[in-house]
Amino acid sequence: MQSRIRNEQLKEKIMSPMEASKLIKDGMVIGTSGFTPSGYPKVVPLALAERVKRDNEKMKLTLYSGASLGPEVDGAWAEAGILAKRLPYQTNKQLRQDINCGKVEYLDMHLSHSSQYLNYGILPRVDVAIVEAIAITEDGNIIPTSAVGNSPSFIKSADKIIVEISSKQPVELEGMSDIYMLENPPMRTHIPIKTPGDRVGTPFIVCDKDKIAAVVFSDMEDHVRDLAPISDVDRAISKNIINFLEKEVSLGRLTKNLLPLQSGVGNVANAVLAGLCDSTFENLVCYTEVIQDAMLELMQCGKIKKASACSISPSPRGLKSFRENIDFFKDKIILRPLEISNSPEMARKLGVIAMNTAIEVDIYGNVNSTHIMGSKIMNGIGGSGDFARNAYLTIFSTSSIAKGGKISSIVPMVSHVDHTEHDTMIIVTEQGVADLRGLSPKEKARLIIENCVHPDFKEQMRDYFNRACEVCQSCHTPHILEEALSWHANFVETGTMKK
Amino acid sequence: MQSRIRNEQLKEKIMSPMEASKLIKDGMVIGTSGFTPSGYPKVVPLALAERVKRDNEKMKLTLYSGASLGPEVDGAWAEAGILAKRLPYQTNKQLRQDINCGKVEYLDMHLSHSSQYLNYGILPRVDVAIVEAIAITEDGNIIPTSAVGNSPSFIKSADKIIVEISSKQPVELEGMSDIYMLENPPMRTHIPIKTPGDRVGTPFIVCDKDKIAAVVFSDMEDHVRDLAPISDVDRAISKNIINFLEKEVSLGRLTKNLLPLQSGVGNVANAVLAGLCDSTFENLVCYTEVIQDAMLELMQCGKIKKASACSISPSPRGLKSFRENIDFFKDKIILRPLEISNSPEMARKLGVIAMNTAIEVDIYGNVNSTHIMGSKIMNGIGGSGDFARNAYLTIFSTSSIAKGGKISSIVPMVSHVDHTEHDTMIIVTEQGVADLRGLSPKEKARLIIENCVHPDFKEQMRDYFNRACEVCQSCHTPHILEEALSWHANFVETGTMKK
């Protein structure tokens, strides 16, 4: 493992995780590598949590990351009560509770804003960055593991850096990253990437070696999560999306190569993508945030040529297959900084097809992807807005019902808006597809009700819309204000949205 | 005037407006030049409306434009009842009524989506484009007048083109336009503009001269509108914004040159900008949609060096001054296609400071800029989302009250969301500034209530927020669903939001 530290001087910085954790003091801002349980530091965060609990230390930290982290950080730090502030995204259950009850201030933000805020000096600088690495180069530069995300920005911003050299991450990851950094305006120029497979930067993160304050060794694996089996509903959603895309090809708006695909993270998103294996599309490319199982499988079956992302985060099964075939994947995957992968410039220039999931959608096409019943946060917006807002095609999908049919995922008015009616284009449920492009609000409402609402809620929704049109005859977007959120209020009170 | 048609063949296409109007048939899609009462065709649209009314002709048209048009199109066509569909933006009173009562289907869309939808074949192609011009070149290319907007896309898409040569628009406008067109993905490359003043295209719109079906002469002026006198509230908003920007400079986040300014259209937006004249900022540049009076004055007082926009649309007084000093302005103003001026790539690359106005804002920072009481549309989102979403700094301003104090412009929950809490950064009223960057929802709410809400509504708002926090103790974004929209419902019922 010593050979992974290719700079002799830095070998003097080798220490135990516990020793390294002492660099972290109360009140500090910590920035970690990691993006959607992948490539995050483990042994130092765990040592810190252990120490704080053992010594009953006073410790309140602000934690920045690329996206969600594993339980060794978000879980352990929430449990130890050392988080004061967290951004830009997380998915841990315990931390979610702490956020909702106000113990932790949470900034649920567009991921592309996180690096921007940091680089522009709007967020406080990083005191200590903790970064998982494959190796440190002769010059002190850092080779990231399975995620790039915000690590380059944190390393640039940080006073001190702790490097966790991982013995579990395959050395073949070296060369997969492509680190290209943007200047701040007015010095900023365009991003020289023309296609998702282009390499324009360095395979390492440039790092001032004098800032590296500790090097520790880690033998812990990414805490990757199992994917749920693909359900019939997932399959139906996937089929509806693929049918829609095939129609676009037949209309001459897309070719069989489509345009670069972006896909959200999670079971449904993975299932949607999996369906492409049996499609007629070919030579596909991805420009996305996270590579999950389906994307790897689509590379193996020859459908996807290249994929650009911030991280690789498959299930345990997918990870095994990835590692066994890493030489196959090596030249097909490019891992990039968040600022590049989620750039509005890239989404509009490449003409990305953005496929994300919704918690709920309303009859006018507004999408809620963060809040349950308007108030409780689930995870966060993540990068969905970065892509959805600037893409060529913006697709949102959801099962038409939730909670065993007690909740309609299509509602009169969403209880929280993350993507406005101006941004959304295609709404998909297992019931069907609503192509909202070129339609007025009332036209959108009729189409969503007929094509996407579950049969159990269709009459109730037609009734709301018809009455809204009647009550509000001179209205572009008819609503009955007293009733618009009543489905949610009803659910909170009675346990069902059914009336 | 004949000399303005520099192609001999095309002189044969000279005809009367009435004759030209006969090219327009029932069911057609018409695309016109023009952007925010500027540079739109006048004599042919008026002739068409006259003919339809006189002959009681059956005529239903779809009308595309860059942004709002003068009364000679939107007003006359609405009055003649010949509009079936309208996009992407309009501000005419009669047409607004027709839209709200459902006589006209209206697509209120991000302006940057309008050219994208057309170029990608999602919207039906243009049958006839009607374009106001200074001249037609030897090759049949078109020199636009005071607006570029969507004209290049319409001319490219159209089957037939009617050119209105204007005798009123100054010939010195030739050379002010810079037409650069984008390929569709996957052929698209980056936009080669590095600073707002860069010229990268042609001074004319490329046009297949065989498509020019009629050339008419027009002696009608743009129907420019008076600006209201700057009120004390406007002045206070402007002062608050400037103080905020000065603080950013003192924090080292901006220099005295700021970054390229984008400003919305209208009285408040103009007033905000006007305040810059007495500021300490210097050598400013603008990358915006529309050039109004204040921007011209800021050029004259030496504050602004260069301004890039889609159109020049000052008040009658501003227009007079512009024309008298056109040689001074000529090398300082660049008129661009909408696709370039409103490009997400440009806003993020240049680091635009986006300053737009809101109808209402809620305590969590969501902004409504289109709908009155959730249902009636006012104008539309225009380009505000194109800039706000991708800018370096996103500022929304509004007077804290409306309707003589009966309406609070800060509400518990906006009745329509055009810009989400993720997109908005700085909220400004005459009461003060709320810098929401880096804050959690509850922190945002406290700041907006304390800094921006009018004293008459402050207690009522504190009460709502405190009760929401109490009722909803484990909530990231506390709301009382039954009450969130009650301020609006109350206003509709009783004529005031006060309780």
Side-chain angles (χ1 to χ4, degrees), chain A residues 85 100 105 108 110 120-121 253 371 375-376 386 389 392 416 418 421-423 440 474-477, chain B residues 85 100 105 108 110 120-121 253 371 375-376 386 389 392 416 418 421-423 438 440 474-477:
Chain A
K85 200 156 204 161
N100 274 315
E105 301 294 345
D108 163 30
H110 293 302
Y120 290 11
R253 292 172 180 163
H371 283 68
S375 292
K376 276 186 203 296
D386 292 324
R389 176 61 190 86
Y392 158 74
H416 189 272
D418 295 290
E421 48 148 336
H422 308 289
D423 300 347
S440 71
S474 291
C475 293
H476 185 53
T477 307
Chain B
K85 200 155 204 161
N100 275 315
E105 300 295 343
D108 163 30
H110 293 303
Y120 289 9
R253 291 172 180 163
H371 283 69
S375 291
K376 276 186 203 295
D386 292 323
R389 176 61 189 86
Y392 158 73
H416 190 271
D418 295 291
E421 49 149 336
H422 309 289
D423 301 346
S440 71
S474 292
C475 292
H476 184 54
T477 307

Side-chain angles (χ1 to χ4, degrees), chain A residues 451-464:
Chain A
N451 290 8
C452 297
V453 172
H454 191 276
D456 287 359
F457 286 98
K458 212 172 249 190
E459 249 337 293
Q460 191 176 326
M461 192 69 86
R462 280 196 200 116
D463 177 59
Y464 173 81

Side-chain angles (χ1 to χ4, degrees), chain B residues 308-330:
Chain B
S308 162
C310 278
S311 77
I312 306 163
S313 187
S315 72
R317 203 175 64 86
L319 188 64
K320 189 164 172 284
S321 161
F322 169 71
R323 294 212 178 144
E324 283 168 6
N325 301 285
I326 197 159
D327 289 335
F328 169 82
F329 289 115
K330 189 154 180 178

Side-chain angles (χ1 to χ4, degrees), chain A residues 59-81:
Chain A
M59 179 77 66
K60 285 289 176 193
L61 303 174
T62 295
L63 173 58
Y64 304 164
S65 63
S68 57
L69 303 173
E72 300 85 351
V73 197
D74 276 337
W77 286 18
E79 207 232 312

Side-chain angles (χ1 to χ4, degrees), chain B residues 237-248:
Chain B
I237 291 173
S238 176
K239 196 155 170 282
N240 285 338
I241 292 180
I242 289 163
N243 287 348
F244 164 77
L245 291 173
E246 277 170 351
K247 213 181 101 200
E248 292 295 295

